[in-house]
Amino acid sequence: INSMNYSASSIDDWQKIAEHVVKRLKSGTILALSGPLGAGKTTFVQALARVLGASSNPKSPTFSLVRGYYLSSAVSRISRLLHVDAYRLEKEEDLLPLNLDEELQEDGTMMVVEWPENMYAWLRRQKKVLWMKIEVMQDGKRCISFH
C-alpha cells in the first residue's frame, strides 16, 4: 500500500478501497485513519468491516472509545476488528484501561483508529501501523493516501 492514492465519491468507492486494503492486513495491524470531521472515516470502517465479514455495521465508538467486531471472512485471516475512536482522548493515560496492547495480541485481531493524532505516542511504539489520510477536496470527493 506504500504511497498508494485513491479517490472516493460514493459508498462503492469506499468498498473498493477496503477490498484493496484487506489484502494487505495481517494479525496485529493497526490502521490509523486521519481526516477532518465528516471526511468518511467511519464510512470507511463500515466498508472494511463488510469486506471482512462483520455481522453488524460498526457505529462510531466516540463514547465507548472502543468497539469490537467478530469477523467471518474467507478473504482474510483477520477474525476480530477493534474500532477505536480517540477523538475524546485528552491524554494518553486515558488509553490504559482499554488494554489495547493486550487486545492486539489476540491472534487474528486488527485495529482501526480514528483520530490517531490523539494517541500518536502509543502508535509510534507499535510495529505494524498503516497510516491512511483522508482529505476532502473542493468538489466533495475524498482523496485517500496511505503511508
Side-chain angles (χ1 to χ4, degrees):
I1 285 190
N2 294 353
S3 71
M4 289 181 87
N5 293 308
Y6 297 91
S7 72
S9 55
S10 71
I11 295 291
D12 286 345
D13 293 337
W14 288 113
Q15 190 81 12
K16 287 182 185 110
I17 295 165
E19 288 166 4
H20 286 280
V21 170
V22 161
K23 295 173 189 162
R24 291 159 178 87
L25 297 177
K26 295 175 175 54
S27 183
T29 299
I30 301 169
L31 190 55
L33 297 181
S34 291
L37 276 170
K41 293 180 296 295
T42 301
T43 302
F44 173 76
V45 175
Q46 290 169 340
L48 185 66
R50 272 193 304 277
V51 171
L52 288 168
S55 56
S56 59
N57 197 28
K59 296 190 260 324
S60 182
T62 303
F63 296 103
S64 57
L65 293 178
V66 65
R67 289 180 189 255
Y69 300 92
Y70 285 95
L71 311 166
S72 62
S73 173
V75 298
S76 153
R77 280 185 248 150
I78 305 296
S79 56
R80 187 170 72 134
L81 169 67
L82 292 178
H83 183 194
V84 177
D85 185 334
Y87 183 73
R88 292 174 56 244
L89 278 185
E90 292 178 22
K91 53 194 181 308
E92 191 156 321
E93 295 77 62
D94 295 343
L95 287 173
L96 292 174
L98 302 177
N99 291 322
L100 296 180
D101 290 296
E102 284 177 35
E103 293 284 354
L104 208 49
Q105 295 301 316
E106 186 177 310
D107 194 41
T109 296
M110 71 151 302
M111 185 182 297
V112 178
V113 177
E114 294 188 37
W115 302 100
E117 304 80 7
N118 294 348
M119 49 191 279
Y120 187 70
W122 182 84
L123 286 165
R124 286 204 44 209
R125 294 192 300 272
Q126 306 306 309
K127 291 181 184 75
K128 302 180 203 166
V129 181
L130 178 60
W131 294 84
M132 177 176 162
K133 183 177 182 185
I134 305 172
E135 294 175 89
V136 181
M137 309 325 270
Q138 282 185 322
D139 62 3
K141 275 191 179 165
R142 306 309 196 247
C143 183
I144 298 99
S145 56
F146 291 91
H147 54 98

